[in-house]
Amino acid sequence: MLVAQRHELLVRELEAAEGLKVTELAARLNVSRATIRRDLLELETEGRVTRVRGGAVLATSRTDGQPSEPRPVAAPLGISLPDAQFQSVSTSGWDAARQTDGSLPLLRNLRLAANSTLIDKGVNVGLPCSGQAPELGAFEAS
């Protein structure tokens, strides 16, 4: 299958399901997850899809039927991120020792504070989350 054909199939699948996970798209198109991720990156650059945590949704189209303009990676979200939104914004401690069982250390760095306005503000694409929607951030609040 040619890349262009696969891209069209991806877009059709997203239209039909209003968003899918990478694993679901890979299974439906019988390709690897890495291939789907590359395709979604290209389609996002073209403004046809929006990548979300673990998957993708169709990009909002313009009223003239043309694909929406690609948005910059760091598009302004209109959200203020003061330090109080996080448990810690310290740049130290990243090199902490592993736990006794060998797992990574539990760090407070960049985890949302209990009263953060970013809790439950993400887009729900069907992945497990602790609230009604995922958090806007690297970690789920617990």
Side-chain angles (χ1 to χ4, degrees), residues 23-79:
T23 53
E24 292 171 321
L25 288 165
R28 290 180 185 205
L29 275 64
N30 197 27
V31 296
S32 70
R33 292 185 311 243
T35 297
I36 294 296
R37 286 188 192 101
R38 279 192 304 270
D39 288 347
L40 292 176
L41 184 59
E42 287 180 42
L43 289 168
E44 185 175 49
T45 302
E46 295 171 9
R48 298 178 67 190
V49 304
T50 300
R51 292 180 305 146
V52 294
R53 183 178 175 192
V57 295
L58 283 179
T60 306
S61 296
R62 301 184 333 198
T63 56
D64 60 6
Q66 296 298 315
S68 59
E69 293 297 318
R71 58 190 176 99
V73 174
L77 297 175
I79 298 172

Side-chain angles (χ1 to χ4, degrees), residues 114-125:
N115 62 348
S116 174
T117 59
L118 303 177
I119 294 174
D120 289 343
K121 299 299 182 194
V123 175
N124 191 341
V125 295

Side-chain angles (χ1 to χ4, degrees), residues 8 10 35 59 75 84 86 101 126 136 141-142:
E8 290 309 312
L10 269 169
T35 297
F86 302 94
D101 65 357
L136 280 180
S142 49

Side-chain angles (χ1 to χ4, degrees), residues 1-15:
M1 177 184 315
L2 298 173
V3 173
Q5 293 171 319
R6 194 171 59 242
H7 285 186
E8 290 309 312
L9 284 173
L10 269 169
V11 170
R12 277 192 235 137
E13 291 288 336
L14 290 171
E15 285 173 341

